[in-house]
Amino acid sequence: MQQIVDFILELDKLKAVTRKIRPPGLDRYENAAEHSWQIALLAISLAPHAGAAVDLDRVVRMLLVHDIGEIDTGDTLFFVEGGWDERKAAERAAVTRIFGLLPPPQGAALLALWQEFDQEQTPEARFAHAVDRAMPVLLNLANQGQSWRDNGVSYERVVRRIAPPIQAGCPALWAYLESRLEAARQQGWFGA
Amino acid sequence: MQQIVDFILELDKLKAVTRKIRPPGLDRYENAAEHSWQIALLAISLAPHAGAAVDLDRVVRMLLVHDIGEIDTGDTLFFVEGGWDERKAAERAAVTRIFGLLPPPQGAALLALWQEFDQEQTPEARFAHAVDRAMPVLLNLANQGQSWRDNGVSYERVVRRIAPPIQAGCPALWAYLESRLEAARQQGWFGA
């Protein structure tokens, strides 16, 4: 029992990992813990639109654990170019450490979920990535492009990075976002 | 698709619902969204210790939705006495409104999960309640009883309110907490 308690208190640190977006109406940045909660519910809501048949419960668990490595590495803006191999290695070391706090069967199961998400090969991982990529876009669309403007991210860069994973995991969601993003461009909601 | 987007942006408001406890090391109150994420992972970690065989995926989904009514009502300290019927009615109205934003099949499924948690009759709901009750206790034990001291909550009141649901849903967790709480009493971590 003490191992589980040590693990869950270690996870508490994800509440301190801030992302680059402000929840609409709030004067603070989003943290990775509340983000993980929200995308789990987005996956549940979007499940009928997944690009392939998925085990939704595995998707939900994957999304709940996918950011835990950021406890050691912090969040990196998805649009940053380069440095991803080093970053992934650091995240992998972090989750090995953190899931290693649990009794081996539970720890190994969560590590396998994290790896499945990371490798982005299964239908579940692809759907999970689509959901994870789409959520900050939906928040930016509700927030007049706040994190795109703050961080100088252009329309072209957003589309180049998010269109492939969202189209692969949830085509209907991409069809919806495509026209919303075009409208946002006309509003001037992107950075240079 | 627009219905799903409206729903997920409505859920965003749970990030603004603050609870009475500060995450250890942070100078702010916990919000109900990050709390929901954390207890989903506590349930996954504790599953082998559930008091009865449970469908863990239903437990996880239940925990992800259990606080959504607080978007309209706000959080109420669990140790407040009285007013629970009115509060529950208000939360019920809130979740009916919020889950009603979704297409009917998904909305009805989430409402059913919320009700199952609320009624606390199934093994899944009982285990979910045990996990939900235990998490703030674990945080208080890591935080020298911060929310107990801030809110004048006594050892006796804590034990009277949390022992029955935790014992019912996860007896091994109660056995662990019982001695930790006794030690916390000796440290003077409770309110008057």
Side-chain angles (χ1 to χ4, degrees):
Chain A
M1 192 57 67
Q2 189 60 50
Q3 290 175 293
I4 296 170
V5 172
D6 291 343
F7 171 70
I8 205 74
L9 292 176
E10 182 66 25
L11 290 197
D12 209 67
K13 298 177 184 167
L14 199 62
K15 299 174 186 171
V17 174
T18 51
R19 295 163 51 88
K20 304 295 179 288
I21 198 153
R22 296 174 194 275
L26 293 186
D27 189 26
R28 64 166 177 87
Y29 289 107
E30 181 185 47
N31 70 63
E34 61 195 357
H35 161 71
S36 299
W37 165 79
Q38 191 171 30
I39 58 176
L41 282 162
L42 181 56
I44 292 171
S45 308
L46 277 175
H49 302 284
V54 293
D55 174 348
L56 179 59
D57 293 311
R58 211 160 83 240
V59 173
V60 168
R61 293 191 198 198
M62 224 180 272
L63 289 170
L64 293 175
V65 302
H66 82 293
D67 267 347
I68 286 176
E70 296 186 353
I71 287 173
D72 286 355
T73 66
D75 177 63
T76 301
L77 188 68
F78 181 60
F79 301 102
V80 166
E81 319 271 356
W84 285 93
D85 288 349
E86 294 76 2
R87 182 189 151 74
K88 271 296 150 198
E91 272 195 42
R92 202 168 297 121
V95 292
T96 303
R97 176 184 76 74
I98 296 165
F99 295 135
L101 296 169
L102 280 176
Q106 288 111 290
L110 294 183
L111 185 59
L113 284 167
W114 185 91
Q115 287 168 331
E116 183 179 350
F117 179 86
D118 186 51
Q119 290 162 9
E120 213 175 333
Q121 297 299 316
T122 63
E124 284 77 11
R126 277 196 284 265
F127 180 54
H129 271 269
V131 169
D132 183 39
R133 294 307 168 216
M135 194 65 241
V137 176
L138 293 170
L139 292 176
N140 263 312
L141 289 170
N143 217 358
Q144 309 195 325
Q146 166 261 318
S147 87
W148 297 326
R149 288 182 289 107
D150 287 356
N151 296 285
V153 178
S154 68
Y155 168 85
E156 290 74 19
R157 210 152 131 217
V158 170
V159 170
R160 191 169 69 235
R161 292 299 303 273
I162 71 166
I166 300 179
Q167 252 176 333
C170 192
L173 179 58
W174 176 248
Y176 169 89
L177 288 176
E178 199 168 17
S179 63
R180 297 280 319 265
L181 288 166
E182 178 54 37
R185 166 153 72 166
Q186 287 166 21
Q187 299 276 349
W189 289 357
F190 290 93
Chain B
M1 192 58 67
Q2 189 59 51
Q3 290 174 293
I4 295 169
V5 172
D6 292 343
F7 171 70
I8 206 73
L9 292 176
E10 182 66 26
L11 290 197
D12 209 66
K13 298 177 184 167
L14 198 62
K15 298 173 186 171
V17 174
T18 50
R19 295 163 50 87
K20 304 295 178 289
I21 199 153
R22 298 175 192 275
L26 293 186
D27 190 25
R28 64 168 179 85
Y29 289 107
E30 182 185 45
N31 71 63
E34 61 195 358
H35 160 71
S36 299
W37 165 78
Q38 191 171 31
I39 58 177
L41 282 163
L42 181 56
I44 291 170
S45 308
L46 276 175
H49 301 285
V54 294
D55 174 347
L56 179 60
D57 293 311
R58 211 161 83 240
V59 173
V60 168
R61 293 190 197 198
M62 224 180 273
L63 290 170
L64 292 174
V65 302
H66 83 292
D67 267 347
I68 286 176
E70 296 185 355
I71 287 173
D72 287 355
T73 65
D75 177 64
T76 302
L77 188 68
F78 180 61
F79 301 102
V80 167
E81 319 271 355
W84 285 92
D85 289 349
E86 294 77 2
R87 180 188 154 75
K88 271 295 150 199
E91 272 195 43
R92 204 168 294 120
V95 292
T96 304
R97 176 184 78 73
I98 296 166
F99 294 134
L101 296 170
L102 280 176
Q106 287 111 289
L110 293 183
L111 185 60
L113 283 168
W114 185 91
Q115 287 167 332
E116 182 179 349
F117 180 85
D118 187 49
Q119 289 161 10
E120 213 174 333
Q121 297 297 318
T122 62
E124 284 77 12
R126 277 196 283 264
F127 180 54
H129 271 269
V131 169
D132 183 40
R133 294 306 168 216
M135 194 66 242
V137 176
L138 292 171
L139 291 175
N140 263 312
L141 289 171
N143 219 359
Q144 308 194 326
Q146 167 260 319
S147 87
W148 297 325
R149 286 181 292 107
D150 287 357
N151 296 285
V153 178
S154 67
Y155 167 86
E156 291 72 19
R157 211 151 130 217
V158 171
V159 170
R160 190 170 67 234
R161 291 301 300 274
I162 71 167
I166 299 179
Q167 251 175 334
C170 193
L173 180 57
W174 177 249
Y176 169 88
L177 288 176
E178 200 169 16
S179 62
R180 297 281 318 265
L181 288 166
E182 178 54 38
R185 167 154 71 167
Q186 287 167 18
Q187 299 277 346
W189 290 357
F190 290 92

